[in-house]
Amino acid sequence: MSSNTVSPPPRRRGRPPKGRDESQPDTRTLLIRTGVAVLTEKGYSAVGLDEVLRLAQVPKGSFYHCFDSKEAFGQALIEAYAAYFAAKLDRCFDDATRPPLQRLQHFVAEAQAGMARHGFRRGCLVGNLGQEMGALPESFRQQLGEVFQDWQARTAACLAAAQQAGEVSSRWDSAWLAEFFWIGWEGAVLRAKLERSAQPLQAFAEGFFALLRSTP
C-alpha cells in the first residue's frame, strides 16, 4: 500500500443517493455486531450462518463478499470482541478518579450489570469459544489464548498499581493474581449464565478481594 496521501473527491452537497443511509453500519460491521450478540448467547457450533444472516437481514452473497468462510467470520468476531473488551478494561482500569483496587471492583460491578441487563443469557464470547475449542477450527486456539493474555496483562498492571498504592500486599505476584482472576472469573460467568443469577459472580468477587486483603 502506498504511503502517499490521496485526497478524497469532494463530497456532493444535498441529500445522499437514494437507498443509502449513512447512519446505518456497513454490511461487514452489521454482520460482526450480530455475530457477537448471537455467539455470546449460543456459542459457535450451535449457530449456523443462516441464523446470523436472518437476524442481520443480509443475503448470503453479501456475507461471502465480506468473509471467505465461517472460520474467517469467527476470527473477525474474536478480533472485534477483543478490541471492544480491551477498551472496556482500559475505561475501568485507567480511571484516575478511583483508587486502583476500586477500578477492578468497578469492572466487576459493570460486568455483572451487563449480564443482568441481558437476563444472564449472554456470557463472554472468548470464554464461550474456549469451552467448545475441541469442536472449533484450530486457528482459533492461538487467537483466543492471546486475548486472555492481553486481558491478564491489563489486569496485572491495575493490580501492580494497587500494590504501589498500598492496597494489596507486594508479596503477591501481580501477574499470578491476574491469571487467577481470569481463570476464576470466566468460570463464574459460566455459572451465572447457567443459573441465570448474579450469585456466582458475587461469590467469586468476594473470594478474590478477600484473597487480596490477606497476606501470603
Side-chain angles (χ1 to χ4, degrees):
M1 180 179 292
S2 173
S3 60
N4 294 332
T5 301
V6 179
S7 300
R11 186 174 178 179
R12 293 181 180 178
R13 295 180 177 273
R15 301 173 65 182
K18 186 176 181 180
R20 179 182 169 202
D21 183 352
E22 293 183 344
S23 69
Q24 296 299 316
D26 60 45
T27 300
R28 191 177 192 277
T29 300
L30 179 60
L31 286 167
I32 289 175
R33 186 180 299 171
T34 304
V36 166
V38 174
L39 264 65
T40 52
E41 184 170 342
K42 296 185 177 181
Y44 183 90
S45 301
V47 176
L49 284 181
D50 288 344
E51 180 177 359
V52 175
L53 296 176
R54 176 177 57 80
L55 292 171
Q57 298 183 337
V58 170
K60 186 168 288 188
S62 296
F63 174 88
Y64 285 108
H65 180 74
C66 298
F67 304 100
D68 293 335
S69 63
K70 186 182 178 184
E71 179 176 352
F73 182 48
Q75 292 169 340
L77 294 182
I78 296 170
E79 182 179 355
Y81 188 83
Y84 151 77
F85 211 87
K88 181 186 183 76
L89 291 175
D90 286 347
R91 188 173 65 252
C92 292
F93 295 166
D94 295 344
D95 182 2
T97 66
R98 303 173 187 268
L101 198 55
Q102 282 189 19
R103 300 172 198 173
L104 182 56
Q105 292 169 328
H106 177 62
F107 162 74
V108 167
E110 192 175 270
Q112 179 177 312
M115 288 196 73
R117 189 163 54 248
H118 295 287
F120 296 96
R121 294 186 307 274
R122 296 184 184 179
C124 169
L125 184 139
V126 173
N128 286 354
L129 295 180
Q131 291 167 41
E132 51 179 330
M133 189 60 233
L136 300 186
E138 188 61 25
S139 64
F140 288 9
R141 186 181 302 277
Q142 180 177 350
Q143 192 177 7
L144 293 170
E146 289 174 351
V147 174
F148 277 129
Q149 290 295 328
D150 177 69
W151 294 354
Q152 287 175 196
R154 294 171 193 269
T155 307
C158 182
L159 289 166
Q163 289 175 320
Q164 292 175 359
E167 297 179 301
V168 176
S169 171
S170 59
R171 295 183 181 181
W172 291 112
D173 179 75
S174 60
W176 179 85
L177 286 173
E179 181 179 15
F180 181 81
F181 173 84
W182 281 104
I183 290 172
W185 180 253
E186 288 295 331
V189 168
L190 171 64
R191 282 286 296 273
K193 188 179 176 185
L194 175 67
E195 299 175 9
R196 298 282 173 87
S197 167
Q199 196 281 329
L201 302 174
Q202 294 168 347
F204 173 74
E206 289 173 6
F208 182 76
F209 289 113
L211 171 67
L212 295 185
R213 288 191 294 269
S214 66
T215 302

